[in-house]
């Protein structure tokens, strides 16, 4: 069954396919956690990890998107998993050391696409959900209806760059902080984030009997689907920031806005979800650690919801295929109704000067 008719605008079809791929990736992420064999490798530093879930989820997403949209540029956080693809322009950003994994003879002839399909039919749960829970994952081949703004209806595949973070919040995943984990698929064109999908594989995992996992999507200038948005409480200033990549600069930036509360949680996707859920007013990360795949999808959804995401100086983040992967000048995001410029102005000069492009 096809994901959507070809009379449907390209952006709507990409969002629909991305929702399906992100749901699949979520199943894989939960499966690997359930089996407990995380296969952790260190990338650039001890605070920069990759697990088998990051690798397998990326393989699933990129294989699926490349199959449906072969002329699109896809840039994924993890590497090596895309190299066998026949068509499309796919960038390998891997820096990790490969590990040796012995494959049982019964599984040697598996194709990448079969791995995704097998996962579709293998519902999984987390420990706090009883085995009798009804699987609640969205079937991967059910298209969602996404209205495309008229300015984006004539987009071609060649103009689209997709930034994939198959598992955002890897540090928290390895530490069992499962609700910090998201799958991020960001869609860009002309250097701008135009659409995005955030899947939370463990949404509701501490509420047995409730639907496990959810997927939120948005189109800039269009709508947000998959959740009910809430305004953050008036009379407070709740800041969300990193819990695993902190520094004195990060803390100086937070102090400068005089928060009433600071939520130190993992993942860029998770923190933007807090803004959309009205649980925080502003997300401040005055550090160069975040990359384009961390911010593209969250930015698109936040902007579709009336919020703003820029670097710490208030400058837009570029999402061209050739843009540097690193967001070296930090991240500042505000929920709908907040004055983004006021926060930019409050960040001290020494913090801004410390973050060079
Ligand atoms: N110093 C860093 N090294 C590697 N990744 C980082 C770093 N800082 C931030 N990130 C990425 O940005 C996300 C948000 O950061 P934080 O949770 O610290 O606020 C992290 O989950 C991680 O994405 P990922 O988990 O996909 O590697
Ligand atoms: Mg990572
Ligand atoms: Mg990330
Ligand atoms: Mg990641």
């Amino acid at each position: 069954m096809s994901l959507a008719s070809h009379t449907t605008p390209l952006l709507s079809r990409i969002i629909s396919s991305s929702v399906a791929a992100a749901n699949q990736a979520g199943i894989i992420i939960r499966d690997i956690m359930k089996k407990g064999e995380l296969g952790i490798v260190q990338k650039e530093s001890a605070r920069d990890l990759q697990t088998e879930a990051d690798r397998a989820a990326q393989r699933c997403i990129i294989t699926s998107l490349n199959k449906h949209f072969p002329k699109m540029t896809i840039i994924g956080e993890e590497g090596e998993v895309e190299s066998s693809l026949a068509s499309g322009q796919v960038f390998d950003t891997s820096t990790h050391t490969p590990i040796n994994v012995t494959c049982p003879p019964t599984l040697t002839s598996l194709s990448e696409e079969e791995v995704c399909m097998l996962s579709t039919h293998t519902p999984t749960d987390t420990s706090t959900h009883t085995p009798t829970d009804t699987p609640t994952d969205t079937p991967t081949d059910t298209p969602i209806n996404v209205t495309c703004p008229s300015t984006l209806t004539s987009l071609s595949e060649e103009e689209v760059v997709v930034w994939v973070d198959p598992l955002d919040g890897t540090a928290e995943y390895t530490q069992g902080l499962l609700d910090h984990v998201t799958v991020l698929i960001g869609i860009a064109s002309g250097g701008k984030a135009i659409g995005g999908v955030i899947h939370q594989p463990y949404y509701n995992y501490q509420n047995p009997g409730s639907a496990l996992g959810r997927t939120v999507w948005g189109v800039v200038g269009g709508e947000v689907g998959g959740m009910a948005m809430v305004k953050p409480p008036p009379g407070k200033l709740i800041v969300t920031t990193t819990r695993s990549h902190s520094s004195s600069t990060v803390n100086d930036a937070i102090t400068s806005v005089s928060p009433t509360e600071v939520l130190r949680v993992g993942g860029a996707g998770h923190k933007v979800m807090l803004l959309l859920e009205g649980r925080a007013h502003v997300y401040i990360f005055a550090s160069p650690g975040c990359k384009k795949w961390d911010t593209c999808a969250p930015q698109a959804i936040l902007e579709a919801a009336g919020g703003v995401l820029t670097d710490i100086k208030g400058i837009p983040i570029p999402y061209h295929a050739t843009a540097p992967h690193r967001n070296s000048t930090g991240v500042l995001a505000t929920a709908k109704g907040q004055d983004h410029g006021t926060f930019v102005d409050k960040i001290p000069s020494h913090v801004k000067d410390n973050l060079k492009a």
Side-chain angles (χ1 to χ4, degrees):
M1 180 172 154
S2 71
L3 283 159
S5 145
H6 275 239
T7 56
T8 308
L10 175 66
L11 181 58
S12 306
R13 287 187 284 120
I14 297 172
I15 296 276
S16 192
S17 292
S18 298
V19 167
N23 289 338
Q24 279 297 344
I27 294 171
I28 291 168
I29 288 166
R30 290 196 298 260
D31 256 349
I32 288 170
M33 177 53 73
K34 199 173 182 187
K35 288 184 185 126
E37 289 166 21
L38 298 191
I40 301 170
V41 295
Q42 191 174 305
K43 297 203 291 183
E44 288 176 11
S45 71
R47 297 193 303 175
D48 188 10
L49 304 177
Q50 183 199 70
T51 71
E52 179 53 27
D54 298 71
R55 295 186 285 276
Q58 173 156 316
R59 197 157 44 231
C60 175
I61 294 165
I62 292 190
T63 302
S64 169
L65 291 181
N66 192 62
K67 185 175 145 198
H68 291 289
F69 309 104
K71 294 177 193 153
M72 230 164 48
T73 298
I74 306 172
I75 306 176
E77 176 182 359
E78 316 302 346
E80 298 212 347
V81 293
E82 314 81 277
S83 53
S84 63
L85 294 171
S87 53
Q89 195 185 353
V90 181
F91 289 72
D92 181 347
T93 61
S94 173
T95 53
H96 74 85
T97 312
I99 53 166
N100 286 325
V101 180
T102 311
C103 182
T106 47
L107 296 173
T108 49
S109 60
L110 265 188
S111 71
E112 287 180 10
E113 281 159 23
E114 281 173 308
V115 173
C116 290
M117 291 312 292
L118 283 169
S119 295
T120 313
H121 302 295
T122 312
T124 58
D125 268 336
T126 56
S127 54
T128 52
H129 275 66
T130 64
T132 52
D133 284 349
T134 309
T136 53
D137 301 295
T138 308
T140 56
D141 54 359
T142 305
I144 54 161
N145 284 325
V146 181
T147 308
C148 182
S150 55
T151 48
L152 295 171
T153 47
S154 59
L155 212 58
S156 70
E157 276 186 40
E158 290 88 341
E159 292 172 297
V160 175
V161 181
V162 178
W163 295 90
V164 176
D165 188 341
L167 196 167
D168 184 49
T170 302
E172 286 72 23
Y173 180 70
T174 63
Q175 294 161 18
L177 296 167
L178 300 178
D179 51 346
H180 298 213
V181 169
T182 58
V183 177
L184 306 175
I185 305 178
I187 300 142
S189 180
K192 292 188 176 141
I194 58 168
V197 170
I198 300 180
H199 173 64
Q200 296 177 293
Y202 293 102
Y203 177 72
N204 263 338
Y205 86 113
Q206 285 170 323
N207 300 319
S210 313
L212 177 63
R214 74 169 167 181
T215 308
V216 176
W217 52 268
V219 176
V220 177
E223 53 187 332
V224 175
M227 71 176 291
M229 285 168 293
V230 180
K231 275 193 178 172
K236 291 184 176 181
L237 179 56
I238 305 169
V239 173
T240 186
T241 192
T242 184
R243 64 169 284 283
S244 59
H245 302 102
S246 210
S247 68
S248 59
T249 312
V250 164
N251 289 330
D252 286 354
I254 294 164
T255 307
S256 71
V257 304
S258 309
T260 58
E261 195 180 335
V262 180
L263 301 176
R264 296 182 188 272
V265 299
H270 180 212
K271 283 188 270 291
V272 169
M273 287 302 304
L274 296 183
L275 299 181
L276 295 166
E277 290 172 329
R279 292 163 65 194
H281 300 73
V282 56
Y283 163 21
I284 303 177
F285 187 55
S287 173
C290 269
K291 315 281 193 326
K292 299 290 180 288
W293 43 75
D294 292 303
T295 51
C296 186
Q299 177 172 338
I301 299 175
L302 185 64
E303 288 187 2
V308 181
L309 189 151
T310 64
D311 78 356
I312 207 80
K313 304 173 190 186
I315 297 168
I317 295 173
Y319 292 102
H320 298 99
T322 52
H325 292 165
R326 192 174 285 273
N327 291 329
S328 50
T329 46
V331 177
L332 179 66
T334 44
K336 181 182 180 182
Q338 303 301 305
D339 186 349
H340 194 81
T342 302
F343 290 103
V344 172
D345 293 344
K346 284 184 177 168
I347 303 292
S349 310
H350 78 270
V351 170
K352 290 174 178 155
D353 294 345
N354 217 8
L355 295 168
K356 301 260 183 266

